[in-house]
Amino acid sequence: MAKRSDLMTKGPDRAPHRSLLRAEGFTDSEMERPIIGIANSFNEIIPGHSHLDRLADAVKAGIYAAGGTPVVFNTIGVCDGIAMNHVGMKYSLPSRELIADSVEIMAMAHPFDGLVLMASCDKIIPGMLIAAARLNIPSIFLPGGPMLPGRLHGKDTGLDKVFEAVGRFRGGRISAGELKKYECAACPGAGSCAGMFTANTMSNLSEALGMTLPLGGSAPAVYADRTWIAKQTGHAAVQLVKNKIRPRDILTRQAFHNAIATDMALGGSTNSALHLPAIAYYAEVDVTLADFGKFTDKTPHLTSLAPAGPHHVVDFFHAGGIPAIMAELRKGGLIHEKAMTVFGKPVGAMLDAIKAGIKDPAVIRTLKNPVHRTGGLAVLTGNLAPQGAVVKQAAVSAEMLKHSGPARIFNSEEEAFKAIVAGKVRQGDVVVVRYEGPRGGPGMQEMLSPTAALAGMGLDKQVALITDGRFSGASRGAAIGHISPEAAARGPIAALQEGDTIAIDIPAKTLNVKLSAKEIKKRLAALPEFKAKIRSGYLARYAAIVSSADKGAVFPR
C-alpha cells in the first residue's frame, strides 16, 4: 500500500533522503512503517506544556506498539496568563494561525503518513486542529490535561482567584501578605489552569468534535490516566492511517453541532465561539457566531465549573467527563450519533463501547435537573452588535442579566484596567473597551485583568463590561465580547460617546444603545480614518488580513 512517506523513503531516487533519515538513527524497517509526526508544543514557560516532553514519550511508545515510526517536532506556544494585561496578549490569538502554518509546513516538507497533535492551552489547541483540518491527513489530538486545583483556607482555588485577589488588594480588602498566599497556592503543578477556562474548554470540545479519545480533555495532567491516554493516542494514530480516516471525515457539520451543544452544556469559555467557527472555516464547513445562538435555548447547562461554579475540571473528570455529558445530551436527541471519531467508531457506538454515563450527579446534572434550562453561552444582537456578540450567561449574576447604564468609554484594555483599579468606575456603569478587536487591537487581546478587578472590588454585580475584544475563560460577570463589527471596521461601538445609555438584556438576547440609527450613522461618518496601533512586524501583517470575530478571526483560505 502506497504511503505519503514513500515520497521520502521509496526508490533509488530517494537514497539521499534515506541517508539523512539514517543520520537520525532510522533503520530499514522503521522507514517501511507508517511514519507519524508528533507536533509537540512543549516549552518551559507554559505550565500546561512543561510536561509534554514526557507525554510525547508515551505517545511514541503507543506508535511503536502499533507498528508505526514516531517523529517529534515542535511548535511555539503562548501562555495567556503570563501574557495578560500587557502588549504580549496582542500576540496570543495571532499565534493560532502561526501554529497552524508551522504544522502545515512541517507535514508538507516531510510527508508524514499521520499526525499526533499535542497541546494544552488556549490558542495552541485550535491552531493544531486548524492544521489538521487544512492538511486532511490522518490526525489525532492529545491535550496535556488540566492542572489540579490549589488549596487555600480549606478550599480549592485556581488562577482566576489570584486575578480577583489583585482587585481585592487594590480595593484595600486584603493585605499584600494575603495576596502572596493566593499567588503561591493557586497553581500547584503541571497542566492547563484548573477551571473550565479557554484551555480546558477547547481540550474538552476536541473530544466532542471527535478528534480526541474519550476523557482526553479532562484526565488531569499528573494522573497516570494521562499517560495511558497518550499511549492509546499513539496507537490510534497508526490505526487512523491504516483505516484511512482523515480529519474531514470527522470534522463535519454534525461534529461541530455536537461540539456547540456540548459547549452549551459545559458553560465553557466564550472563546469557543471564536475557535470553533475558525476550525470549521478551514475544514470548509460553514459555522459562525450565529450558529451558537441556535443552541442556547434548546440545550441545558449541565455542570457548574470554575469560574462560574464550585467544581474544577478534576471533579468533572471523576464525574464522567465529556462522554457523560454527551451521553446525557443523547437522551434528549441533542447529539448526532453518527458523527465519526478518532476512536474508530461513530459517537453513538463510542459512547456505548465505553459505557458512558454520569458518575457524580452533584457535578454533572441530568437533563431533568440542569443547572440552567438554557445553555451556558448566549449570542446577543442589536444596534450595537449587528453581527452579534457573546456572553457566558452561566457566569452572570441574576441581577445583571438585565442592565441599563451610562457608557464609560476606553479605547484600550490597559486604559480601562487603570481606571477600574483607581476607583474611577462606579456602580451602574457600563465599561466600554473598544479598538481591541482582531484588527483594532490588533490581536483581540483577552480582558481577564479588568473583569477580575471588577469582581475582586465587588463590582461584578453592579457593572457590565462590553468590548469588541474578548475575555478569558476565567472571566465572570456581565462581560460581553466579540462585538461585531469591531470599532476599527466602523462598527456601531465606535460611535459611542461618554454617558450614552446602553441597554443589556441577556434573556432577550439584545445589546443596544439608546440612539437612533440616524444618529449612529452621523457619528460614524464624522470619525477620522482608523490608524493601526502597530504598523510593522507580524501583528501588522495579521491586522491587514484577519476577518471579523463573528467569522472566527480567520485568514483568507
Side-chain angles (χ1 to χ4, degrees):
M1 179 182 74
K3 311 189 306 297
R4 270 187 101 243
S5 59
D6 290 349
L7 292 171
M8 60 180 172
T9 61
K10 292 293 183 184
D13 293 341
R14 297 298 184 256
H17 306 61
R18 292 192 297 273
S19 183
L20 290 166
L21 291 172
R22 291 183 195 282
E24 294 295 325
F26 279 66
T27 64
D28 286 339
S29 63
E30 286 175 322
M31 285 187 275
E32 291 167 1
R33 296 172 165 212
I35 298 178
I36 310 297
I38 302 173
N40 187 2
S41 50
F42 160 79
N43 61 44
E44 295 182 343
I45 190 69
I46 309 177
H49 290 221
S50 61
H51 64 304
L52 293 186
D53 55 342
R54 300 186 297 277
L55 210 57
D57 290 337
V59 174
K60 290 168 71 174
I63 291 171
Y64 268 124
T69 300
V71 182
V72 178
F73 63 93
N74 286 85
T75 71
I76 63 167
V78 172
C79 178
D80 279 20
I82 296 174
M84 195 71 66
N85 197 226
H86 60 83
V87 70
M89 179 48 70
K90 295 181 184 294
Y91 287 85
S92 176
L93 180 60
S95 75
R96 187 186 70 187
E97 265 60 25
L98 203 58
I99 289 162
D101 287 348
S102 69
V103 174
E104 178 184 335
I105 288 169
M106 289 297 290
M108 295 304 293
H110 316 98
F112 303 122
D113 297 300
L115 289 171
V116 174
L117 307 163
M118 298 179 61
S120 295
C121 296
D122 295 278
K123 313 310 141 332
I124 310 159
I125 296 168
M128 294 285 192
L129 293 173
I130 286 168
R134 276 197 213 156
L135 289 162
N136 202 33
I137 64 175
S139 303
I140 184 169
F141 178 67
L142 174 66
M147 185 185 292
L148 295 176
R151 195 79 175 162
L152 184 65
H153 303 315
K155 297 179 180 179
D156 285 347
T157 190
L159 185 66
D160 56 319
K161 300 304 180 188
V162 185
F163 276 95
E164 291 181 13
V166 172
R168 292 166 66 193
F169 171 72
R170 292 287 191 181
R173 300 169 69 188
I174 62 171
S175 66
E178 183 70 3
L179 178 61
K180 183 70 176 288
K181 290 179 182 178
Y182 276 96
E183 173 188 330
C184 294
C187 300
S192 45
C193 298
M196 192 55 73
F197 314 144
T198 305
N200 287 320
T201 297
M202 292 309 301
S203 289
N204 280 281
L205 292 185
S206 69
E207 269 191 74
L209 278 172
M211 288 297 293
T212 295
L213 292 178
L215 297 174
S218 58
V222 297
Y223 277 21
D225 303 70
R226 178 58 48 188
T227 304
W228 304 339
I229 293 169
K231 290 179 180 178
Q232 291 162 359
T233 296
H235 191 279
V238 178
Q239 299 309 310
L240 290 169
V241 172
K242 291 180 178 178
N243 295 326
K244 299 181 180 179
I245 299 174
R246 299 183 297 174
R248 293 196 189 185
D249 299 323
I250 296 169
L251 296 172
T252 62
R253 187 161 200 50
Q254 290 72 30
F256 284 101
H257 283 184
N258 284 347
I260 295 172
T262 303
D263 194 15
M264 292 295 172
L266 278 178
S269 166
T270 53
N271 281 314
S272 61
L274 195 66
H275 298 315
L276 288 177
I279 298 164
Y281 169 82
Y282 291 111
E284 299 188 21
V285 177
D286 184 25
V287 174
T288 67
L289 179 59
D291 287 283
F292 283 72
K294 300 172 186 175
F295 286 83
T296 300
D297 291 334
K298 68 179 182 180
T299 312
H301 178 212
L302 299 180
T303 184
S304 188
L305 305 175
H311 305 297
H312 289 83
V313 182
V314 62
D315 306 306
F316 180 65
F317 166 71
H318 287 298
I322 290 296
I325 289 276
M326 296 185 80
E328 191 64 20
L329 292 177
R330 177 169 65 163
K331 294 177 183 178
L334 297 169
I335 291 293
H336 293 281
E337 294 190 57
K338 293 184 179 179
M340 194 57 187
T341 73
V342 292
F343 189 77
K345 297 176 183 286
V347 169
M350 180 268 289
L351 293 174
D352 291 337
I354 64 173
K355 298 180 173 57
I358 297 172
K359 297 178 181 178
D360 186 349
V363 177
I364 300 177
R365 305 271 197 99
T366 65
L367 291 177
K368 294 179 180 179
N369 181 37
V371 179
H372 299 105
R373 292 289 173 189
T374 55
L377 301 182
V379 175
L380 313 184
T381 55
N383 68 356
L384 256 184
Q387 294 172 3
V390 66
V391 60
K392 185 193 284 191
Q393 62 178 355
V396 180
S397 60
E399 53 265 61
M400 288 299 291
L401 291 172
K402 292 184 179 182
H403 180 75
S404 182
R408 300 294 311 283
I409 309 295
F410 303 97
N411 290 330
S412 72
E413 186 246 4
E414 293 87 351
E415 184 184 343
F417 177 71
K418 288 177 182 177
I420 292 167
V421 298
K424 295 179 180 179
V425 172
R426 296 175 176 81
Q427 291 185 15
D429 286 348
V430 177
V431 175
V432 178
V433 186
R434 63 189 180 186
Y435 294 102
E436 289 289 12
R439 179 185 169 199
M444 204 180 183
Q445 62 187 8
E446 287 186 343
M447 300 189 191
L448 177 56
S449 292
T451 59
L454 288 171
M457 297 170 76
L459 291 173
D460 56 309
K461 295 181 180 180
Q462 290 89 30
V463 173
L465 193 156
I466 71 171
T467 180
D468 54 6
R470 60 195 178 91
F471 296 105
S472 164
S475 291
R476 62 184 174 93
I480 299 166
H482 303 199
I483 292 176
S484 299
E486 62 174 298
R490 288 184 182 264
I493 191 173
L496 292 177
Q497 295 177 3
E498 192 79 10
D500 285 343
T501 300
I502 294 173
I504 299 164
D505 191 333
I506 294 173
K509 312 294 188 294
T510 60
L511 176 62
N512 291 292
V513 58
K514 292 185 178 180
L515 295 173
S516 68
K518 183 178 180 180
E519 177 63 17
I520 292 173
K521 185 177 180 180
K522 177 184 174 183
R523 290 186 186 183
L524 290 175
L527 290 175
E529 182 181 353
F530 171 72
K531 293 183 179 180
K533 296 177 184 176
I534 295 177
R535 302 183 191 182
S536 64
Y538 178 59
L539 287 184
R541 298 195 300 275
Y542 177 87
I545 61 175
V546 69
S547 79
S548 63
D550 66 301
K551 295 178 181 176
V554 294
F555 286 177
R557 279 198 293 258

